[in-house]
Amino acid sequence: MRVDDLSVSFRAYAGLVKAVRGVSFHLDKGETLAIVGESGSGKSVTMKAILGILPKNGRIDSGSIIYDGQDLAKFTEQEFYQIRGKKISLVFQDPLSALNPIMIVGKQITEALTLSLGMSKERAKVRALELMNAVGIPDCETRFHQYPFQFSGGMRQRVVIAIALASDPEILICDEPTTALDVTIQARILELIKEIKAQRGLSIIFITHDLGVVANMADRIAVMYAGKIVEMGTSDDIFYRPVHPYTWALLSSIPDLDTKEALVSIPGTTPDMIHLPPGDAFSPRNKYAVALDFEREPPMFRVSDTHCAATWLLHPNAPKVEMPELLANRIRRNAEERIADER
Amino acid sequence: MLITLFIIVTIGFMVIRLMPGNTMYADDPDMSAAQIEVLRAKYHLDKPVPVQYVIFLRGLLLEGDWGTSISLYVGVPVWDVLKAKIPVSMYNNIVSLMISLPLGILSGVIAAIRKNTIVDYATSFAVVIFISVPSFIFATLLQYFAAFKWRLFPIIYDASATGAGKLHSLLLPILALSFSPIARVTRYLRAELAETINSDFMLLARTKGLTETQATLRHGIRNSLVPLANVVIPMFTHIMSGSLVIERIFSIPGMGGLMVSSINAPDYPLTLAILIFYSLVSLVTVLVVDLAYGVIDPRIRIGGRNIE
């Protein structure tokens, strides 16, 4: 799948909200792409655009979403029926509200099979039980007939994953699947997603605001800010060789249990998406911003074959700026640990 | 529920009996003082009100005796009077409820799906009119146009009709009764469903490959029916009270006419029996709705079981 220069905007009372501004990325078969960003950075909106489930006031302004030779950005609702669930599935952020509270869990899984694939009820049930087993729900036969409120949060998320897997999709979009869960459960769900991916050869787009979560999940990472991808590269590129000040800030703000460093936070808040500042949207919060940042938006600079970032700091004429010392130390430490682990 | 009923009966009895003007037959010039005394003694009217109450309650509980009509149908047991009237009124009310619920739900769903379109605005406009204009206005209008001008329906109730003919002759009053409940259900369901449609599980239903219609039908409507059960109680009592007036307009020999004339007569036992009957129906409605919650919403059904 390939997303090119995608822009999405919403009509709101205050004006036009440009939620996604020219996002491009590609997803190869069998890889996990993580999209990281603060709330409101447009990561969920991008995914909704891919699935054609933007709210009624949302609109794709430009760009294309090429999947299997077809442009999803131009798909009608009718055409999306062939994609949703069958080719691309979504795992929701909050398993509590994503399940219908008054329908038995089993039926919510089989529904996808009987209604959109035309499978018989009996076969759908067999398949649903298999799925429930595969996502690690014990005692499937009994659980099949229970309602969501009889499940714990982690179990509910497993149900949501089972539903997403029901029609054997090729791409699984996980929209902050662990945000609403306890930390211990989080780890298990992440483990489950990894397992499923390996078993079924899925491609995964993993959306999160927590770089820590994606550290050992993602093959590649895209960092989003204010509707744009500001840095994209392999997991190693982002974690060991970050170049964008925003990525630096994000990485610095991951709590580190080994040191007594104070927790770093990014000053300020995300910009108003209706009246974006001129130039780089991150510049007002960026202590490394150069004058040009306030005037013109930086283009994507290539760092290596796999790594690119949108910051003027990469321009040949830009002043040489090193990443914050704290982060540099931390990266060095992590790298050393990794080498030690590998030995 | 029994306690509620007991309180209603007690208060009802006291209020009716303590109303001024309860010296029956006192000013009837055709009767001698001795005759009046005999009658008063026969109906226990000569005793203090609390004693009368005990006598009434004992008769009701031990023998199922609702008392005897004392002025409208002199000498006829109250129960026999009611027996003839209840089916007529309940027929109207229940058919009206049966019409209102599906029609209201249907138009509510349509308004919610087509929210902020001309269909929605038209529905909302109609809803406001049907809720604010009282049912007897519609009754008179229907009577004038549908029955008198166009001669589609009989002007007044035809007591001899049965089966389909009965429904035909009662259709106008039933319609007049149903407008407001239909509008209420529509308004309520539109609001509920419009909210449900925006919920995550509706989005999930669509991402798993269901069409928008399938998602709304299977996930949206049933979820918005849970709070709707709540409005059914006031709706049914509303229909019943509306029916009191409508029955007069269409000369239907039901509870409505009986209630008004029994108060005017005055015929205390009859008034009281009607009061108890209506209370009982309302209480049963509440009970049915409470039980219906369990059917619609598994959280109530199973959640309750777990607590035990």
Short mmCIF file of all heavy atoms in Angstrom, two decimals, chain A residues 4-25:
data_model
loop_
_atom_site.label_atom_id
_atom_site.label_comp_id
_atom_site.label_asym_id
_atom_site.label_seq_id
_atom_site.Cartn_x
_atom_site.Cartn_y
_atom_site.Cartn_z
N ASP A 4 0.09 8.73 -0.91
CA ASP A 4 0.85 9.81 -1.51
C ASP A 4 0.19 11.16 -1.28
O ASP A 4 -0.93 11.38 -1.71
CB ASP A 4 0.99 9.57 -3.03
CG ASP A 4 2.39 9.12 -3.37
OD1 ASP A 4 3.31 9.72 -2.80
OD2 ASP A 4 2.53 8.15 -4.15
N ASP A 5 0.92 12.04 -0.62
CA ASP A 5 0.51 13.43 -0.49
C ASP A 5 -0.95 13.58 -0.05
O ASP A 5 -1.69 14.40 -0.57
CB ASP A 5 0.72 14.13 -1.85
CG ASP A 5 0.74 15.65 -1.68
OD1 ASP A 5 1.12 16.09 -0.58
OD2 ASP A 5 0.35 16.36 -2.62
N LEU A 6 -1.34 12.78 0.92
CA LEU A 6 -2.74 12.77 1.35
C LEU A 6 -3.06 13.99 2.23
O LEU A 6 -2.33 14.29 3.17
CB LEU A 6 -3.02 11.49 2.15
CG LEU A 6 -4.45 11.30 2.62
CD1 LEU A 6 -5.34 10.93 1.46
CD2 LEU A 6 -4.52 10.25 3.70
N SER A 7 -4.14 14.68 1.89
CA SER A 7 -4.60 15.80 2.72
C SER A 7 -6.06 15.59 3.07
O SER A 7 -6.87 15.26 2.21
CB SER A 7 -4.46 17.12 1.97
OG SER A 7 -3.10 17.38 1.74
N VAL A 8 -6.37 15.78 4.34
CA VAL A 8 -7.75 15.64 4.79
C VAL A 8 -8.10 16.89 5.59
O VAL A 8 -7.31 17.38 6.38
CB VAL A 8 -7.92 14.40 5.70
CG1 VAL A 8 -9.37 14.28 6.15
CG2 VAL A 8 -7.48 13.15 4.98
N SER A 9 -9.31 17.40 5.36
CA SER A 9 -9.72 18.55 6.16
C SER A 9 -11.14 18.34 6.67
O SER A 9 -11.91 17.55 6.13
CB SER A 9 -9.63 19.83 5.35
OG SER A 9 -10.50 19.74 4.25
N PHE A 10 -11.47 19.04 7.74
CA PHE A 10 -12.80 18.97 8.33
C PHE A 10 -13.43 20.35 8.32
O PHE A 10 -12.78 21.34 8.62
CB PHE A 10 -12.72 18.51 9.78
CG PHE A 10 -12.29 17.10 9.92
CD1 PHE A 10 -10.97 16.78 10.17
CD2 PHE A 10 -13.21 16.08 9.79
CE1 PHE A 10 -10.57 15.46 10.29
CE2 PHE A 10 -12.82 14.76 9.91
CZ PHE A 10 -11.50 14.45 10.16
N ARG A 11 -14.69 20.36 7.98
CA ARG A 11 -15.43 21.62 8.12
C ARG A 11 -15.88 21.73 9.57
O ARG A 11 -16.52 20.84 10.11
CB ARG A 11 -16.67 21.61 7.21
CG ARG A 11 -16.42 22.18 5.84
CD ARG A 11 -17.68 22.08 4.99
NE ARG A 11 -18.03 20.69 4.74
CZ ARG A 11 -19.12 20.11 5.19
NH1 ARG A 11 -19.98 20.78 5.93
NH2 ARG A 11 -19.38 18.85 4.92
N ALA A 12 -15.50 22.82 10.22
CA ALA A 12 -15.94 23.03 11.59
C ALA A 12 -16.51 24.43 11.67
O ALA A 12 -16.38 25.20 10.72
CB ALA A 12 -14.77 22.89 12.56
N TYR A 13 -17.14 24.76 12.79
CA TYR A 13 -17.76 26.08 12.91
C TYR A 13 -16.72 27.18 12.77
O TYR A 13 -16.95 28.20 12.15
CB TYR A 13 -18.49 26.22 14.24
CG TYR A 13 -19.83 25.57 14.20
CD1 TYR A 13 -20.10 24.45 14.98
CD2 TYR A 13 -20.83 26.07 13.36
CE1 TYR A 13 -21.35 23.84 14.92
CE2 TYR A 13 -22.07 25.47 13.29
CZ TYR A 13 -22.33 24.35 14.08
OH TYR A 13 -23.54 23.75 14.01
N ALA A 14 -15.54 26.93 13.35
CA ALA A 14 -14.52 27.98 13.37
C ALA A 14 -13.80 28.10 12.03
O ALA A 14 -13.09 29.07 11.79
CB ALA A 14 -13.53 27.71 14.48
N GLY A 15 -13.96 27.12 11.15
CA GLY A 15 -13.27 27.19 9.88
C GLY A 15 -12.84 25.81 9.43
O GLY A 15 -13.30 24.80 9.95
N LEU A 16 -11.96 25.79 8.46
CA LEU A 16 -11.51 24.53 7.90
C LEU A 16 -10.34 23.99 8.72
O LEU A 16 -9.32 24.65 8.86
CB LEU A 16 -11.09 24.79 6.46
CG LEU A 16 -11.17 23.59 5.51
CD1 LEU A 16 -12.60 23.11 5.38
CD2 LEU A 16 -10.63 23.99 4.15
N VAL A 17 -10.51 22.78 9.28
CA VAL A 17 -9.42 22.18 10.04
C VAL A 17 -8.61 21.29 9.11
O VAL A 17 -9.12 20.30 8.58
CB VAL A 17 -9.97 21.33 11.20
CG1 VAL A 17 -8.84 20.75 12.01
CG2 VAL A 17 -10.89 22.15 12.08
N LYS A 18 -7.34 21.68 8.90
CA LYS A 18 -6.51 20.86 8.02
C LYS A 18 -5.82 19.79 8.85
O LYS A 18 -4.72 19.99 9.37
CB LYS A 18 -5.49 21.73 7.30
CG LYS A 18 -6.15 22.81 6.45
CD LYS A 18 -5.13 23.68 5.77
CE LYS A 18 -5.74 25.00 5.34
NZ LYS A 18 -6.02 25.90 6.49
N ALA A 19 -6.49 18.67 9.00
CA ALA A 19 -6.02 17.66 9.94
C ALA A 19 -4.82 16.88 9.40
O ALA A 19 -3.92 16.52 10.15
CB ALA A 19 -7.15 16.70 10.28
N VAL A 20 -4.84 16.61 8.12
CA VAL A 20 -3.72 15.89 7.51
C VAL A 20 -3.26 16.72 6.32
O VAL A 20 -4.06 17.11 5.48
CB VAL A 20 -4.15 14.48 7.04
CG1 VAL A 20 -3.01 13.79 6.35
CG2 VAL A 20 -4.65 13.66 8.22
N ARG A 21 -1.93 17.04 6.29
CA ARG A 21 -1.44 17.95 5.26
C ARG A 21 -0.32 17.30 4.46
O ARG A 21 0.85 17.42 4.80
CB ARG A 21 -0.94 19.24 5.91
CG ARG A 21 -1.99 19.90 6.79
CD ARG A 21 -1.44 21.14 7.44
NE ARG A 21 -0.32 20.85 8.32
CZ ARG A 21 0.76 21.62 8.42
NH1 ARG A 21 0.86 22.69 7.69
NH2 ARG A 21 1.73 21.30 9.24
N GLY A 22 -0.71 16.59 3.45
CA GLY A 22 0.29 16.02 2.56
C GLY A 22 1.14 14.93 3.19
O GLY A 22 2.34 15.04 3.30
N VAL A 23 0.48 13.87 3.60
CA VAL A 23 1.21 12.74 4.20
C VAL A 23 1.51 11.70 3.13
O VAL A 23 0.63 11.35 2.33
CB VAL A 23 0.37 12.12 5.33
CG1 VAL A 23 0.85 10.73 5.66
CG2 VAL A 23 0.41 13.01 6.55
N SER A 24 2.74 11.23 3.10
CA SER A 24 3.10 10.16 2.17
C SER A 24 3.84 9.08 2.94
O SER A 24 4.72 9.38 3.74
CB SER A 24 4.03 10.67 1.07
OG SER A 24 3.47 11.80 0.45
N PHE A 25 3.46 7.85 2.71
CA PHE A 25 4.25 6.74 3.24
C PHE A 25 3.88 5.49 2.46
O PHE A 25 2.92 5.50 1.68
CB PHE A 25 4.02 6.55 4.74
CG PHE A 25 2.61 6.23 5.13
CD1 PHE A 25 2.14 4.92 5.10
CD2 PHE A 25 1.75 7.25 5.54
CE1 PHE A 25 0.84 4.63 5.47
CE2 PHE A 25 0.44 6.96 5.90
CZ PHE A 25 -0.01 5.65 5.87
#
